[in-house]
Amino acid sequence: MEQDFSMLDAIIGKYRNRSGILIPLLQDVQQTLGYLSKDAMRYLAEQMQIPAADIYGVATFYSMFKLKPQGKHIIRVCKGTACHVSDADGIKDALRNELGLEGEEDTTADMKFTLLEVACLGCCSLAPVIMVDDTTFGKLTPDSIKGILQRYAYEEEA
Amino acid sequence: MIDLVESYRQGKLPEANVILAEQHEGRHNELLAGQYRIVLRNCGVIDPKSIEDYEAQGGYSALKKALTMQPEEIVEEVKASGLRGRGGAGFSTGLKWSFAARAKGSKKYVVCNADEGDPGAFMDRSTLEGDPHNVIEGMIIGAYAMGADEGYIYCRAEYPMAIHHLRIAIEAAEIKGYLGRNIMGTGFNFELHIKEGAGAFVCGEETALMQSIEGKRGMPTIRPPFPAESGLWGCPTNINNVETWANITWIINNGSTEFRKIGTDKSPGTKVFALAGKIAGSGLIEVPMGIPIRDIIYKVGGGMKTEKPFKAVQMGGPSGGCIPASLLDTIVDYDSINATGAIMGSGGMVVMDSGTCMVDVARFFLNFTQNESCGKCTFCRIGTRRMLEILTRITEGKGEAEDIVKLEELATNIIKGSLCGLGQTAPNPVLTTLRYFKDEYLAHIEEKRCPAGVCTSLLRYEVIADKCVGCTACARKCPVSCISGSVKQAHVIDQDKCIKCGACFKACKFEAISKG
Ligand SMILES: Cc1cc2nc3c(=O)[nH]c(=O)nc-3n(C[C@H](O)[C@H](O)[C@H](O)COP(=O)(O)O)c2cc1C
Ligand code: FES
């Protein structure tokens, strides 16, 4: 079935016929759709008269662009140097364990959480650090993870 | 420090920018003693969202002064100051400006590199969040000096508060007539934009950064032509790091002679460092060039965090290296740091203690560069992967005697065969750890032992029979049931079945399990 992407037309209108706009365009589209599906990228290519390969090339180059649906909350676990030497691996394991993620999975089956690894969150003096959506949690221990996640589960019901 | 942590915990962005080391419980003056503030002079002092606050501290007076000078005079003044690029390589800023100023073309750009991709570094973030106008004013002065009428600040998207403060600052400067058309009635026009990065380390490299501003994949291009001749959309472009721009107003206001009084002859001025890792007073510091690394760690940084002794300090991120205890008296300037095999880099300093495994650190950085290689050059793309495989093998206890030679050979070829700084410097973390910590590599390879007790596959957990009271806590925690023994009897771990998870080690209340 053909998906309807007409909700993207306003964004497309904003960027049409301007140069150097591909990255902000894709950022806006991702903001609207949550991720960049192949169909969405094809639609953009047609509407903007840009080769689909160029769009796909940019989308796959930058780690900000997601090609798969993401969970409701995004958890970023810092794997930067300061965090690495402060047992970021232990934090990551605790998160994966708590979220029940297996193998290569990064999103929980209920689509509530997606776990991403990032290189540095720029708050290295609080290492090890994670960010849940826009909130930063620092000086963590593996034991503190459960409480943090519960907060989000709890909020939802409240 | 406390405020920052607290506001983060509450999910709010901190209101005032906090300079971390400053607030290290009650030791304020002692920790500040070795510091000298040029770049950070307003951070934490003014409200970064208020242009009036900035003006009250003398803000935009440098611009007013600069606009009464000839553009060439400004370039000469910056050249005379000896300021070197703070983005890593330390190229003379004045010289770079003179290239762009001389370049032919009616349209020119200036760019501020705020991509700050090095993991373990947050200098630029703090500068932009705490004093955005100082960077903007520096850029306006630079644009006037070089004849540019448009500029970009390329900022990591991971830094939402920096972007937020920049937007407020640009708008306020436009309203006050410091930015836009006919600046302060001089006929000089300058328009400033913000570009958000999209998450690619290589975009910190200047040619890749410009590709990215143009909306393309951020792949470095061959230099020459240098950006000064052909940069953004083929126009002459000058690109400097945040901290470099943040030095300009001070130099214009106080003059190059005053600037040269700080720091060393070849590296004048100050350097901002982000202290992190196993150090007591982690945070942001600004020190005069020429200060010994030892003083940064033991005086300004307040020494080690725990009882564990100092082992190394990592400088320069993935392009840098690890400086061992024997070289702690090295002074901070571009040339002295380079001589150790590390680089000054942008200012990340991650302190490591005896609990850090240097082979693991090398593997960590290779993993990073291998991931972030844009894939254009074969040596960088595949060579780093081969190095990572070897390092991983070593940390898993499968290292072979000839691995060290292979690593050195690959390193040499990657350095020679890569187009941009990413590949050219990627082997540095391996080369410096091999140079100063070879015994650790050999312990992993020959004795299958990780002296720091980090590499899980090489760990061995054993019950110390004398201390074991037979409480069975460990046996109950073991996920693979490999601990046997009856109640009140010493237990035994079956080494063949042990998965080295460490659960028993944590469970034991009698310190009766050894790890090593
Ligand atoms: C892989 C790579 C990443 C870089 N990342 C940054 C960065 O995050 N920030 C920065 O200012 N310079 C970075 N640089 C250096 C820039 O290419 C450039 O030299 C610098 O922005 C010039 O400014 P400066 O002369 O003021 O130092 C990077 C270089 C390479 C090769
Ligand atoms: S290394 Fe984790 S926040 Fe910088």
Side-chain angles (χ1 to χ4, degrees), chain B residues 85-91 93 96 113 115-118 124 201-202 204-206 239-242 244 420-422:
Chain B
R86 301 292 194 242
F91 190 79
T93 304
K96 193 144 101 177
N113 188 342
D115 197 40
E116 192 158 71
D118 282 3
D124 295 348
F201 171 68
V202 73
E205 198 278 337
E206 53 188 28
I239 172 163
N240 279 120
N241 163 263
V242 171
T244 315
C420 88
L422 192 149

Side-chain angles (χ1 to χ4, degrees), chain B residues 9-211:
Chain B
R9 284 220 182 99
Q10 293 162 2
K12 286 193 303 230
L13 291 173
E15 273 304 306
N17 183 274
V18 194
I19 296 184
L20 304 167
E22 219 174 72
Q23 317 214 332
H24 193 262
E25 293 117 19
R27 301 180 52 197
H28 195 107
N29 294 329
E30 196 186 320
L31 294 172
L32 279 175
Q35 302 201 40
Y36 194 104
R37 297 257 155 103
I38 291 180
V39 172
L40 302 177
R41 63 184 184 273
N42 293 327
C43 289
V45 177
I46 62 168
D47 173 2
K49 296 199 285 278
S50 159
I51 193 167
E52 286 79 16
D53 262 27
Y54 180 67
E55 287 174 321
Q57 296 290 329
Y60 289 104
S61 60
L63 175 63
K64 286 172 197 155
K65 183 173 173 188
L67 291 174
T68 65
M69 295 163 74
Q70 290 302 314
E72 305 80 56
E73 267 181 87
I74 300 174
V75 175
E76 282 312 311
E77 192 65 26
V78 175
K79 217 191 257 178
S81 75
L83 174 66
R84 296 172 70 167
R86 301 292 194 242
F91 190 79
S92 156
T93 304
L95 205 56
K96 193 144 101 177
W97 284 24
S98 71
F99 298 149
R102 243 184 285 141
K104 290 193 177 55
S106 54
K107 177 85 190 168
K108 290 182 190 173
Y109 293 96
V110 290
V111 176
C112 172
N113 188 342
D115 197 40
E116 192 158 71
D118 282 3
F122 50 95
M123 302 77 50
D124 295 348
R125 169 193 184 141
S126 313
T127 308
L128 291 172
E129 288 178 359
D131 195 11
H133 282 290
N134 188 29
V135 177
I136 293 172
E137 188 183 351
M139 289 186 77
I140 307 173
I141 295 172
Y144 173 71
M146 288 175 269
D149 66 355
E150 204 171 341
Y152 284 93
I153 301 176
Y154 186 92
C155 188
R156 279 186 88 182
E158 285 88 344
Y159 290 176
M161 187 158 74
I163 294 173
H164 180 61
H165 286 184
L166 279 171
R167 281 197 208 291
I168 296 175
I170 289 178
E171 201 173 305
E174 280 169 353
I175 292 170
K176 292 251 177 181
Y178 299 132
L179 261 178
R181 301 203 65 76
N182 192 18
I183 292 172
M184 307 184 74
T186 56
F188 162 57
N189 305 324
F190 182 59
E191 200 185 334
L192 188 56
H193 315 277
I194 300 173
K195 271 275 170 184
E196 275 182 48
F201 171 68
V202 73
C203 287
E205 198 278 337
E206 53 188 28
T207 59
L209 185 147
M210 292 187 296
Q211 295 283 313

